[in-house]
Each structure stands twice: as C-alpha cells, then as structure tokens.
Amino acid sequence: MSSTSAVGPRRKIVGTSLKMYFDLTKTLTYAADLANISSQAAKHNIDLFIIPDFVSLLPVKDALTGTEVKLGAQDAFWEDAGAYTGEVSCKTLSQAGVSIVELGHAERRRLFGETDATAAKKAAAACRNGLVPLVCIGEKTHGKIASQAVGMAIEECRPQVMSLLQAIPDDAELILAYEPVWAIGASEPADPDHVVAVTQQIRKMAEGRKGLTRILYGGSAGPGTYDRLRQGVDGLFLGRFAHDIKNLEQVIKEMSD
Ligand SMILES: O=C(CO)COP(=O)(O)O
C-alpha cells in the first residue's frame, strides 16, 4: 500500500473518545496525563487526538495548551444556528478550539437514530466550519465464513462511505474510522486480516479525492493492535483500552516503529 495521497504523505493518527465513561474531574486528570505523553507522538509525526464530552471541551483545551494534541467533539448538529434545543453547532465547536468532529458512531446510530444521511449532513457542516469530520462506519454483524465476511462488510460500508463523500467537498480533509459494530466493546479487536481487507477496499472508495483521507481502525483496539493493520490503516481509534494512559503510550510507541 502506498502511504502517500494526492496531498502528500499521510501522517499517522491515533486518539481516543472518552464516550461518557469519565466525569469532569477524571477527564481533566486524563487530559493532563495525555499532555504529558503527547511529545512522544509529536516527535514521531503522529497526530494525537482526544474526544471528551461537550462540557469538558474547554477545560480540556486548557489542559492541552502547549501541546499538539487535537481536540475532538463526539457529535455536532448540521445547522450552524437556530432553534435546535440541545444541539451544538460546528461553528461554536470551532470557536471552542475543536478541530475534529466525530460522527455516526455505532452507539449514536443504535441509541439516537443517527443514519448515513444525518452523519453526511453533519459532516458537511463540519467541513463548512473548518472542522475535520471523523466518521465511523462498519458492518453490524460478523459474517461467520471469513471469505464471505469481508465481502459482506465491504458492501455494508460502501453506502456509508458514498453518502458521505457525496455530501462533503472533494478537497475536504476526512477521517474514516472503520469500526465493525460487533468488535466494539468486545474483549479483543477484529481479526487483522479482515480489517486490512476491508480497509483497503474502503480506501479504494475514496481514491482520487483531493482532500487528505485517513482511515482508522476502532473496536477493542489497544497495545498490539496496530502492527498487524499497517497495510490497511493510518492509525487507531481507541476506546476502553486507552483509559489506562500507559496503554495509549504503548500504542504510540508501537506506531512509532
Ligand atoms: O467505539 C470505539 C471507539 O470509538 C471503540 O470502543 P472500545 O475500544 O471500547 O471497543
């Protein structure tokens, strides 16, 4: 696999969403720990990001002052302003120092009715406001026969990717997180051969885009996951296994090699 795109070499990227696991106090402790290890990623030209809950964004931004850690939000609305109680606009997120907006996570699809269409509209809003959409895609169930599982996963991911690509400018930066739904919250990540086969096809779907397009793997990822995915992905999107900062430090080390 080539590690270059039309816009130059793709920097590796790794990060974590804290989902709703931590309260504010714990989030800030974690952000301080992250700031302390962040130079290890920067030294190796690896982008590092954290996606805390909305309330924590501003204090986390302060905790990350002087580092290169990118700040992400866990969702955003597709309009920039108006009577949308409870929603947060990409414009406000941008003003708050956010640079990445996570969209279409499996939990938001399952619990809050997020669809490919809403994720695409939100991604367009993110691009319009200078934010990078990080859009989660992935098949719901694991095909039991390995040879068929790859093809089924690709066909389930294809409309998720295509609706998104149609909604955002061709030159917009994009992060696609391949997260097989069945591998989220599990004891171990998906089989590396499966992930590489699927993500190579996902990359083909975005081939020819002018904007930087990076692909992450997420779903029970942690130390030991990245090495066998090198041929398919540009990095990892961590959940629970980043809660211990030492694990994240180890992942950065593995990605640095
Ligand atoms: O959903 C994920 C990242 O967005 C992955 O979560 P887990 O690593 O906890 O399975």
Side-chain angles (χ1 to χ4, degrees):
M1 181 203 70
S2 158
S3 62
T4 58
S5 72
V7 291
R10 295 191 304 268
R11 279 169 69 103
K12 291 179 197 166
I13 175 166
V14 61
T16 182
S17 160
L18 299 180
K19 305 195 181 186
M20 207 185 75
Y21 280 114
F22 292 177
D23 61 21
L24 180 56
T25 309
K26 206 164 170 194
T27 297
L28 295 184
T29 304
Y30 187 84
D33 291 342
L34 185 68
N36 282 334
I37 65 161
S38 64
S39 63
Q40 297 171 35
K43 197 167 65 190
H44 290 96
N45 294 320
I46 298 170
D47 287 336
L48 181 60
F49 66 86
I50 180 172
I51 309 185
D53 63 37
F54 283 115
V55 172
S56 306
L57 285 170
L58 288 171
V60 166
K61 185 186 141 213
D62 287 345
L64 298 175
T65 303
T67 75
E68 291 178 25
V69 181
K70 293 176 189 302
L71 185 61
Q74 295 185 14
D75 190 23
F77 195 54
W78 58 72
E79 297 290 348
D80 292 343
Y84 306 106
T85 301
E87 294 298 319
V88 180
S89 73
C90 288
K91 188 172 180 188
T92 292
L93 291 174
S94 168
Q95 290 170 342
V98 165
S99 59
I100 294 173
V101 179
E102 179 184 359
L103 299 166
H105 189 277
E107 287 145 18
R108 294 213 59 87
R109 292 177 190 259
R110 177 169 51 87
L111 297 168
F112 304 107
E114 188 95 329
T115 63
D116 293 346
T118 57
K121 280 206 283 185
K122 291 175 177 186
C127 297
R128 191 165 71 230
N129 286 281
L131 305 177
V132 177
L134 184 168
V135 183
C136 303
I137 56 171
E139 76 277 13
K140 283 207 188 71
T141 52
H142 184 26
K144 290 297 164 220
I145 304 168
S147 56
Q148 293 174 6
V150 169
M152 285 162 57
I154 292 165
E155 289 324 309
E156 206 169 323
C157 290
R158 193 181 302 281
Q160 300 175 345
V161 175
M162 298 324 281
S163 56
L164 178 64
L165 295 185
Q166 279 158 18
I168 64 171
D170 188 57
D171 60 356
E173 184 178 340
L174 170 66
I175 303 169
L176 288 168
Y178 172 55
E179 303 204 332
V181 180
W182 50 271
I184 298 172
S187 54
E188 52 186 51
D191 171 47
D193 291 343
H194 178 88
V195 175
V196 170
V198 176
T199 49
Q200 285 181 342
Q201 291 304 314
I202 291 171
R203 197 174 298 285
K204 286 211 174 114
M205 295 173 205
E207 208 163 45
R209 287 191 82 241
K210 288 207 189 72
L212 173 64
T213 309
R214 289 184 286 183
I215 302 178
L216 302 180
Y217 169 76
S220 307
T225 305
Y226 179 72
D227 195 41
R228 294 198 293 158
L229 302 184
R230 283 174 193 273
Q231 297 306 310
V233 305
D234 302 303
L236 296 179
F237 190 13
L238 300 160
R240 291 157 298 144
F241 299 140
H243 289 178
D244 180 343
I245 200 78
K246 289 201 176 66
N247 282 344
L248 182 52
E249 199 173 10
Q250 175 62 23
V251 169
I252 293 168
K253 189 166 176 290
E254 291 170 6
M255 288 176 65
S256 307
D257 296 339

